[in-house]
Amino acid sequence: MLQLPRHALHKKLVGRANPMRIQLEITRRCNLDCVHCIQGGCSYVAGEMTAADYERLLPRMSAAGVFSVSLTGGEFLCHPEIMVILELLLRSDFWLALQTNGTLLDQDTVDFLARSREKIRAVAVSLYGATAKAHESVTRSPGSFEKTIRAIDMLSEAGFRVEVISLLMTMNQEEAPQIQELCRERGLFHQFNSIIAPRKDGETSSLECRLSEELLKKLPRPWETFTENFIPHEPDDFSPDKTLDAWCTMARTSGYIDSKGNLLPCSIMDLPAGNVKDRPFDELWHDSAVFNALRKLKIGEFECSRCGHFPTCRPCPGLAFLEHGNMFEAPKEICRIIELFLGDKEVKKA
Amino acid sequence: MGEVVFKKSGSLIERRIEGEAILLDIKSGVYYDLKNVGVFIWEILSGGASARQIAAAVAENFDVDAETALADTLELLNDLETEGLIVRNAEG
Ligand code: SF4
Ligand code: SF4
């Protein structure tokens, strides 16, 4: 059998902890000022990775087996050497995905990217409203709506798969149907999200923008717009003595490199294996004590394993870590949303 | 008329993982894997080769007779071509 379904590949690689997908936080700089941003003040961070650092890193990632790379930020286009970094990435053999607010994309940059369009799987663009009023109540940046819409249209015209991601909060939730309509008219892939996490620095004021139960109920069920990334599984994959391989890919097949070069298990799990400027990627990936410990965690160690909604709902250790500083506890915001749609959870008897 | 020479398609990302060749076709997003003789043949295809050249190399390096080597090679080349992983290049 030549073809290898994605879940079969995941199973094959997860056992070997082979990195398959890496997110690169190119920079923490951003030209917008979104209310919910978990980075907390997207300004310049000293020690940012340079183009020369990426030139050393990318071949190591390729040799370690990484297939796909997603660029994120901040706004990745704010990196002062971004065009050199993009050249390096497009010259390397990775399948790329870009996450952007779109406001800095001009026709020249879109044309530049379009010359390597087959290497770019998708461009994800954040859109918070169908009008400037709603969108800019989130971005707090006048003029950003028009620029984001223009970017979406330029990218679509250039033939990219554009994925519109909309986080819904108190100030923009009313426009959910219009956002859906805007995307439908343009034939775009669209996904809602309503999970607002505390900021990485512990600041929690953005949590006030979380939707009330009443408002959440008016929206599509959150998971109904998330379908593509599910990994098919067997019931036995969820027994307490199993590791989290069936759904949580952190440090197994996916990882995150922050703007300073720290290799983390996941974008929201601040447990660095080390820094790729100090040690080659593949060595950090395989030798890190933290990563190896995460790979051994058993389902039974997590509070969620005793919940009646498990495994329909599965624990996200990263979110729990952000919320409580303890990955083994249930992430309360997920519980709130799940219980709203599936009813109160029963605690399973031991 | 020259022999048909096969070479790898240009839309593949390939990785060698514990002796296996894992291929990702970025046109379709589909993954493939090759093992043992498949990896050996895949390596020869890097430079472009005909079925006869590949089969001769297989017979020389694995414990099979020439006839079996040719049959196995043709079968794999057929699969690879059907999946769009290799293309034909007529050579004089
Ligand atoms: S920690 Fe959560 S977000 Fe990160 S890989 Fe695991 S399930 Fe996904
Ligand atoms: S509802 Fe809460 S406790 Fe239950 S599995 Fe989901 S996140 Fe865990």
Side-chain angles (χ1 to χ4, degrees):
Chain A
M1 182 67 181
L2 258 177
Q3 273 206 25
L4 187 61
R6 212 164 67 86
H7 64 275
L9 178 65
H10 172 78
K11 278 208 160 149
K12 191 188 264 282
L13 299 186
V14 85
R16 301 167 179 167
N18 195 102
M20 198 180 155
R21 202 160 39 84
I22 295 291
Q23 272 185 292
L24 297 178
E25 178 193 272
I26 297 290
T27 181
R28 287 214 174 166
R29 302 168 209 236
C30 187
N31 57 325
L32 304 185
D33 181 24
C34 295
V35 287
H36 61 280
C37 183
I38 65 167
Q39 301 288 24
C42 295
S43 54
Y44 174 65
V45 178
E48 195 168 67
M49 292 272 287
T50 62
D53 293 324
Y54 285 110
E55 197 166 9
R56 279 185 291 274
L57 169 67
L58 298 179
R60 302 297 297 225
M61 280 171 37
S62 171
V66 175
F67 281 95
S68 43
V69 170
S70 309
L71 304 196
T72 178
E75 167 53 49
F76 77 89
L77 289 165
C78 288
H79 192 291
E81 295 178 290
I82 190 59
M83 293 317 281
V84 187
I85 297 169
L86 283 173
E87 291 254 15
L88 289 169
L89 281 158
L90 293 170
R91 236 189 291 135
S92 313
D93 58 343
F94 294 114
W95 209 23
L96 299 176
L98 314 177
Q99 284 174 37
T100 176
N101 63 42
T103 56
L104 297 172
L105 273 172
D106 54 21
Q107 192 63 55
D108 284 350
T109 314
V110 172
D111 291 345
F112 165 80
L113 293 171
R115 286 198 282 278
S116 308
R117 190 166 50 83
E118 76 285 357
K119 285 196 157 184
I120 301 174
R121 186 189 61 77
V123 185
V125 182
S126 311
L127 182 72
Y128 304 104
T131 63
K133 188 167 169 270
H135 181 81
E136 291 166 15
S137 68
V138 176
T139 65
R140 297 185 291 198
S141 309
S144 57
F145 176 72
E146 206 186 309
K147 288 180 189 156
T148 296
I149 293 290
R150 197 173 112 78
I152 289 173
D153 290 340
M154 281 190 295
L155 289 163
S156 300
E157 268 161 37
F160 287 100
R161 175 184 158 94
V162 179
E163 298 180 346
V164 173
I165 316 290
S166 303
L167 182 64
L168 296 175
M169 292 164 267
T170 47
M171 61 280 262
N172 67 342
Q173 50 79 28
E174 273 187 353
E175 292 201 358
Q178 290 95 308
I179 298 175
Q180 250 170 340
E181 188 49 34
L182 186 152
C183 294
R184 211 179 358 246
E185 275 169 8
R186 289 170 162 82
L188 306 171
F189 171 88
H190 177 247
Q191 188 173 289
F192 282 129
N193 187 2
S194 54
I195 296 169
I196 300 176
R199 266 171 37 173
K200 284 183 175 171
D201 61 9
E203 221 270 325
T204 55
S205 60
S206 61
L207 305 189
E208 285 163 19
C209 310
R210 281 176 172 173
L211 297 177
S212 65
E213 283 76 5
E214 200 188 335
L215 290 175
L216 277 167
K217 272 191 171 159
K218 290 193 196 154
L219 301 173
R221 290 178 170 216
W223 56 88
E224 282 169 359
T225 61
F226 288 84
T227 46
E228 294 204 336
N229 292 328
F230 284 168
I231 302 162
H233 51 264
E234 312 290 333
D236 185 46
D237 290 342
F238 299 107
S239 55
D241 60 328
K242 286 281 164 67
T243 53
L244 278 58
D245 300 358
W247 71 94
C248 176
T249 55
M250 65 165 176
R252 296 168 174 78
T253 56
S254 67
Y256 187 87
I257 298 176
D258 77 9
S259 59
K260 293 183 180 181
N262 296 310
L263 173 62
L264 309 177
C266 165
S267 62
I268 50 175
M269 184 73 105
D270 200 8
L271 291 173
N275 194 294
V276 296
K277 289 190 221 162
D278 305 328
R279 232 184 128 189
F281 169 83
D282 39 333
E283 287 181 27
L284 282 178
W285 180 272
H286 290 292
D287 299 347
S288 155
V290 179
F291 275 31
N292 282 317
L294 289 172
R295 288 166 191 147
K296 288 194 197 110
L297 295 174
K298 299 280 191 316
I299 289 173
E301 295 176 67
F302 291 81
E303 186 187 345
C304 290
S305 67
R306 290 178 292 283
C307 166
H309 293 316
F310 177 81
T312 307
C313 176
R314 301 160 207 176
C316 167
L319 197 61
F321 188 81
L322 257 187
E323 274 194 2
H324 328 289
N326 177 352
M327 70 176 108
F328 300 103
E329 278 182 32
K332 298 286 181 287
E333 178 62 357
I334 306 261
C335 299
R336 185 176 75 101
I337 296 171
I338 292 292
E339 282 164 25
L340 191 69
F341 291 103
L342 295 183
D344 285 347
K345 63 186 168 190
E346 293 162 29
V347 176
K348 282 180 196 159
K349 299 195 176 68
Chain B
M1 267 270 284
E3 268 184 306
V4 174
V5 169
F6 294 92
K7 63 179 182 103
K8 296 178 183 179
S9 142
S11 65
L12 299 173
I13 296 177
E14 57 174 285
R15 299 285 182 257
R16 211 47 56 86
I17 294 165
E18 291 187 1
E20 292 180 20
I22 312 257
L23 319 176
L24 165 63
D25 185 352
I26 57 175
K27 281 207 184 111
S28 60
V30 177
Y31 290 92
Y32 299 86
D33 75 339
L34 294 169
K35 302 185 177 84
N36 313 322
V37 190
V39 180
F40 178 80
I41 293 178
W42 187 250
E43 261 163 22
I44 300 176
L45 283 164
S46 296
S50 67
R52 194 184 45 81
Q53 288 167 331
I54 297 170
V58 170
E60 205 179 306
N61 288 276
F62 293 83
D63 190 18
V64 285
D65 59 64
E67 209 174 310
T68 316
L70 185 61
D72 289 353
T73 300
L74 288 173
E75 193 185 331
L76 183 68
L77 288 175
N78 184 45
D79 288 350
L80 292 170
E81 194 177 22
T82 309
E83 297 292 334
L85 304 177
I86 54 172
V87 289
R88 283 165 187 247
N89 222 14
E91 211 174 70

